[in-house]
Amino acid sequence: MKESDLKHIVNQSPDMICTIDGEGRFLWVNRASESLLGYTPGEMKGRSYLEMVCEEDLPDTDQISRKIMDGYVVTQFENRYIRKDRTLMPLIWSARWNPEEEKMYAIARDGREKRVLVQLAQRAGEMARIGHWELDLLQADGGDRMYWSRMTKEILEVDNDYNPSLSGGFEFCEEESRDRIQEAVETLISEGRSFDETLLIHTQRGNSRWVRCIGQGEYAGEECVKIFGSFQDIHDLKEAQEELELAYEDRTRILESIGDAFFTVNPDWVVTYWNGEAERLLQRPREEILGKNIWEVYPDAVELDFYTQYHWAMRTGEIARFEEFYPTAGFWLEVTAYPSDDGLSIYFRDVTERKEAEQEMRDLNRQLQDHSEKLELINKELEQFAYVASHDLQEPLRMVTNFLSKLEKHLGENLDDSSRLYMHFAVDGATRMRQVILDLLDYSRAGESTDPDREVDLESVTRRAWQALQSRVDATNGMLKTDFRTGRTVQSDPVLLKQILQNLLSNSLKYHRDGVPPEVTISTRILDDGWELEVTDNGLGMEEEYLDKIFVIFQRLHRADEYEGTGIGLAIVQKMVRQLKGQITVTSIPGEGSSFRIQFPAQSDNQPDIQ
C-alpha cells in the first residue's frame, strides 16, 4: 500500500490518531482533530496536551502519561479536552510508548456517548445501591492503588477522602467474610477466576450490613494488572430473604407437625409440597412425587370423587369438604381442599375406624329399632292381655263372693264357728283377689293416653287428688302443705299428674306411724331443662336396701294383715312418670319418713311457671 493511500485512510477515520513526543507535544494529528476539538492538524502540531486538557483532569492525565512511558499500555483512559470554542470534549484514549522512536502512538475517540451511558449507569447504580472499585496492581508502592466510587464509600459509611489503598478495605469485613474475600481476591489474581461473594461487613459507623462483592481481572498477556468489580448493598434483600426462609421453615415445621396428611398442587396439578404424614399414609416418598402431575401418579383416583371435588374447588374457588373411599389403599379419607391463586392446599386423614364405627352404630341402631318395635308390640299385647284377663276375671270372682254370701245366709245358724271362719277367709280372699284385678287393670291402663303439652293448674290438681282421699285423710287426721300459689301452671298431662299425686299421697297416708298424724309436703322447683316435683312425708320410712324394690309390681314390704294393698300403686306411679318422660327417685330414713322426687323435662321452650 502506498504511503499516500495510508494517509488517506487515516484521515478518513472518525477517531483522532496522533503521535506525541516525550514532552507531551503533538507531532502529527489526522483530520479528525478538526471535528473533535475544532483545531486543524496544523494548529495542533507542536502544541502540548497540557495546554488543552481540562485543569481538573490534568493530574490523572500526567500520571497516566508517565505510566505509558514506563511501558504501560493504556486502552480505556478518559479525560476532557478544551475545544477551540472553549467547550469541553470527553475523549477516550488508547496509547503506547515506542521507546525506539521515543514517541507515543495514540488514538482518541469521542467519549460523549460513553459519558452519557456512564451517567445512566451511575444513576442506576445509585438506585440499586451499587458502587464500584478498582485495584491497580502495577501502581508503585505508596500510590493510591485502590479506587472506590462514591456509592461504595456511602455503603461503607466512610468519608469522601478515605483512602482504601492503605488497607484494601478488608478491615470492614466480619472475620469469616474477610477470610473468604481475601482468598477470592488471591485466587482471582493467581488463577484468573472471577468471584461473586455475599459478605457481612461492619461500616465505619459500626452498622452491620450485608453486601454483594463481584470481582474480575484485567490482564497484560498472562499477568493480571488490575482487578475491578462492583459493591452492592443487599442488606434489606438479605434480611427479607432470611425472614422468608424463617417463615418457610416455620411453615414447614407446622405442616410437618400437624396430625393431618397435607400436600399442595399448582394450577397445572403439579405437586409442590408433600408432608411426612402424606408419605406415611399413602406410602409414597416425597422424592417420588414432588414436581409430578398428581393424576399421573394416582391414575386410579381419576374415576373417584377426589378428581371431581378437586376440580370443582379449583374451578369455583370454593372450599371442598368430602369423604371418599380409596379402594387401592383400602381406607376411607376425610378431605378438605382449600383453593388459592397458587393452586390447592389439601388436608386429609384416615377415618376408616370412624366410618366402620358409624356403620356398626347404624347396624346396631337398626337392631335396636327392631327390638324396640318387637318390645312395643309385646308390651301392647301384654297390656291387652292384662286388661282382658282382669276384666274377664272380675265376673267369676263376683259370683264366688255373691254365692258365698248367699250360702252363709242360707245356712244361717247351722254353721259352726269353724265353718263361719272358713267362710270369712273365702270371702276375704275373693275380695282381695278382686282388688288385685282392679289394680292390675289400672296398671295396664296407666298412661294409655298422654297429653303432656297442656297447661295444668298445679294447685287445682293437687287439691282434687287430696280430696279423692278424703275418707283416709279424715281417718288419719292427715295434713297437706304446698309451696305454690293458686293459679300457677306447669306443662303436663292433668290426668296422669293427678293419678301420680293421688297414689303418692295415698301411700303417705297409708304408711304413717302409730300415734303420729301423717303430714305431707309437696314442693316444686325449676330446673335448667325442666321442673321437679317432690312429695315428702313423716311416715314409717324404709331401709335403703328396699328402695330399689318398691317400684316393682306386687312388691310389698309389709304383710297384708298389717297394711292393706296389692303392691301395685308405686309401680303405676313409675309407669306414668315414664310416660311423661320423667324420672322418679326416693330417699328415706326409717322412723322419720320418705321423699319421692320426680324430675319432668321441659315440654317446650317455655319454662314452667311454678313459683
Side-chain angles (χ1 to χ4, degrees):
M1 179 179 293
K2 297 179 181 179
E3 184 178 354
S4 60
D5 294 336
L6 181 61
K7 286 185 177 182
H8 178 73
I9 294 173
V10 169
N11 280 323
Q12 295 302 313
S13 172
D15 297 335
M16 188 173 73
I17 302 172
C18 60
T19 57
I20 303 173
D21 65 15
E23 299 298 325
R25 293 186 295 267
F26 290 99
L27 299 175
W28 178 84
V29 183
N30 70 345
R31 292 178 181 174
S33 64
E34 202 167 348
S35 60
L36 290 176
L37 298 177
Y39 294 104
T40 64
E43 292 173 326
M44 291 284 291
K45 187 175 181 180
R47 295 192 64 174
S48 171
Y49 72 84
L50 296 175
E51 301 175 7
M52 306 182 71
V53 173
C54 171
E55 184 177 356
E56 294 178 0
D57 296 344
L58 273 175
D60 289 341
T61 303
D62 184 60
Q63 184 182 42
I64 200 70
S65 297
R66 295 178 187 279
K67 291 175 66 174
I68 292 172
M69 292 179 185
D70 289 337
Y72 186 77
V73 178
V74 171
T75 58
Q76 291 288 324
F77 174 71
E78 181 180 350
N79 61 6
R80 291 169 296 173
Y81 269 61
I82 303 172
R83 289 170 50 87
K84 190 173 183 179
D85 61 4
R86 309 309 296 172
T87 60
L88 294 179
M89 166 62 72
L91 296 177
I92 300 173
W93 293 88
S94 297
R96 70 178 182 84
W97 178 257
N98 187 330
E100 295 177 357
E101 299 180 2
E102 293 188 352
K103 60 182 177 182
M104 184 188 306
Y105 288 88
I107 300 175
R109 67 178 184 273
D110 190 340
R112 285 176 293 187
E113 182 178 354
K114 179 184 177 183
R115 180 168 289 270
V116 171
L117 293 176
V118 168
Q119 290 175 347
L120 290 175
Q122 287 177 342
R123 292 173 186 170
E126 290 175 358
M127 293 177 64
R129 290 186 62 78
I130 299 176
H132 299 87
W133 58 270
E134 291 183 7
L135 178 60
D136 187 349
L137 300 178
L138 295 181
Q139 174 66 41
D141 292 341
D144 294 338
R145 302 174 61 198
M146 176 165 277
Y147 163 76
W148 281 355
S149 69
R150 183 186 60 79
M151 180 55 67
T152 299
K153 293 180 180 180
E154 183 177 318
I155 293 172
L156 290 168
E157 296 183 327
V158 298
D159 297 333
N160 288 330
D161 59 356
Y162 183 83
N163 186 356
S165 299
L166 301 177
S167 62
F170 294 129
E171 75 275 12
F172 293 102
C173 294
E174 178 266 341
E175 183 176 359
E176 189 273 335
S177 295
R178 180 169 62 249
D179 294 341
R180 206 155 20 89
I181 191 61
Q182 285 179 334
E183 182 180 355
V185 168
E186 292 171 1
T187 302
L188 171 61
I189 295 172
S190 61
E191 301 178 14
R193 191 189 312 163
S194 60
F195 62 81
D196 186 342
E197 297 287 346
T198 298
L199 309 172
L200 178 61
I201 65 168
H202 303 292
T203 69
Q204 192 174 58
R205 297 177 186 174
N207 297 316
S208 297
R209 303 200 70 79
W210 285 98
V211 298
R212 180 186 182 189
C213 185
I214 299 176
Q216 52 187 316
E218 183 178 301
Y219 299 88
E222 295 184 358
E223 181 183 7
C224 183
V225 296
K226 180 192 295 185
I227 60 174
F228 58 92
S230 61
F231 199 75
Q232 182 179 9
D233 181 355
I234 60 168
H235 189 73
D236 292 342
L237 179 64
K238 183 72 173 178
E239 285 191 336
Q241 181 181 358
E242 290 179 347
E243 289 178 3
L244 184 62
E245 289 174 354
L246 288 174
Y248 180 79
E249 291 175 1
D250 289 341
R251 189 200 72 161
T252 300
R253 280 195 297 270
I254 292 171
L255 294 178
E256 292 299 328
S257 64
I258 60 177
D260 289 349
F262 172 80
F263 71 94
T264 58
V265 293
N266 67 17
D268 295 323
W269 301 105
V270 174
V271 179
T272 56
Y273 190 84
W274 190 264
N275 79 343
E277 183 63 15
E279 287 184 307
R280 185 196 66 78
L281 189 57
L282 295 178
Q283 296 296 301
R284 183 82 66 167
R286 70 186 67 190
E287 294 79 12
E288 292 184 8
I289 193 169
L290 287 178
K292 296 181 180 179
N293 187 289
I294 187 70
W295 307 119
E296 294 177 0
V297 178
Y298 291 100
D300 52 347
V302 172
E303 300 300 324
L304 302 175
D305 209 24
F306 300 108
Y307 187 89
T308 304
Q309 293 283 354
Y310 292 169
H311 277 77
W312 177 85
M314 189 83 82
R315 183 179 68 256
T316 64
E318 299 290 334
I319 298 173
R321 292 185 174 90
F322 63 98
E323 293 178 353
E324 175 71 320
F325 183 71
Y326 186 35
T328 304
F331 50 59
W332 279 90
L333 292 177
E334 179 185 80
V335 184
T336 306
Y338 296 92
S340 69
D341 293 339
D342 297 325
L344 287 182
S345 299
I346 300 162
Y347 296 81
F348 59 100
R349 66 177 67 179
D350 183 355
V351 292
T352 305
E353 291 185 3
R354 174 170 65 78
K355 297 293 288 188
E356 291 176 348
E358 289 175 354
Q359 184 59 46
E360 291 177 2
M361 184 63 70
R362 284 193 291 270
D363 294 341
L364 181 59
N365 285 336
R366 280 195 295 267
Q367 294 175 12
L368 290 174
Q369 181 66 27
D370 292 341
H371 287 309
S372 177
E373 291 174 357
K374 291 177 182 178
L375 286 174
E376 186 176 355
L377 180 60
I378 292 172
N379 284 335
K380 288 181 178 179
E381 290 175 349
L382 287 174
E383 290 175 0
Q384 184 65 24
F385 171 78
Y387 175 78
V388 172
S390 60
H391 185 273
D392 292 347
L393 286 173
Q394 285 188 71
E395 184 59 28
L397 284 175
R398 190 181 300 111
M399 290 178 63
V400 170
T401 303
N402 288 338
F403 278 103
L404 284 173
S405 297
K406 289 181 180 181
L407 182 60
E408 182 180 14
K409 184 177 180 181
H410 178 71
L411 294 175
E413 296 186 5
N414 293 326
L415 292 172
D416 57 20
D417 292 340
S418 295
S419 296
R420 291 180 185 278
L421 181 61
Y422 298 152
M423 190 72 71
H424 172 73
F425 286 156
V427 172
D428 182 65
T431 302
R432 284 189 288 109
M433 176 60 76
R434 186 171 181 274
Q435 185 61 47
V436 168
I437 292 171
L438 291 173
D439 288 346
L440 185 61
L441 184 60
D442 286 341
Y443 182 79
S444 67
R445 290 174 173 174
E448 200 170 64
S449 176
T450 59
D451 184 11
D453 291 328
R454 293 180 59 183
E455 292 290 328
V456 180
D457 186 326
L458 194 57
E459 190 275 336
S460 175
V461 169
T462 303
R463 185 178 66 254
R464 286 189 282 114
W466 186 253
Q467 289 173 348
L469 302 169
Q470 192 62 50
S471 60
R472 184 169 293 175
V473 172
D474 294 340
T476 59
N477 292 319
M479 182 181 298
L480 175 66
K481 296 180 181 179
T482 63
D483 69 347
F484 40 82
R485 293 176 293 174
T486 303
R488 298 304 182 183
T489 62
V490 295
Q491 284 185 310
S492 187
D493 184 301
V495 176
L496 293 186
L497 189 56
K498 176 180 175 296
Q499 289 178 317
I500 291 169
L501 285 169
Q502 186 170 325
N503 282 17
L504 290 177
L505 291 171
S506 175
N507 211 60
S508 296
L509 293 172
K510 182 189 300 184
Y511 298 105
H512 68 278
R513 287 177 284 165
D514 290 340
V516 179
E519 185 176 300
V520 186
T521 301
I522 300 178
S523 60
T524 57
R525 68 189 183 96
I526 297 176
L527 305 177
D528 291 338
D529 55 353
W531 63 286
E532 181 180 271
L533 175 70
E534 186 173 11
V535 179
T536 303
D537 63 45
N538 63 342
L540 294 174
M542 295 169 282
E543 298 289 345
E544 186 175 357
E545 60 185 292
Y546 299 119
L547 297 182
D548 293 333
K549 299 178 180 180
I550 60 174
F551 296 108
V552 179
I553 191 170
F554 298 126
Q555 181 68 52
R556 292 177 53 85
L557 304 183
H558 306 278
R559 296 195 314 272
D561 59 348
E562 293 180 315
Y563 294 93
E564 63 179 9
T566 58
I568 295 180
L570 290 179
I572 291 175
V573 168
Q574 186 182 60
K575 185 176 180 181
M576 288 187 287
V577 168
R578 287 177 176 173
Q579 286 293 107
L580 294 173
K581 296 181 172 55
Q583 290 183 334
I584 183 169
T585 57
V586 60
T587 56
S588 184
I589 299 176
E592 295 186 16
S594 302
S595 178
F596 290 85
R597 184 178 290 108
I598 307 173
Q599 293 182 347
F600 295 103
Q603 299 299 330
S604 69
D605 294 336
N606 297 321
Q607 286 285 358
D609 183 5
I610 58 176
Q611 297 182 0

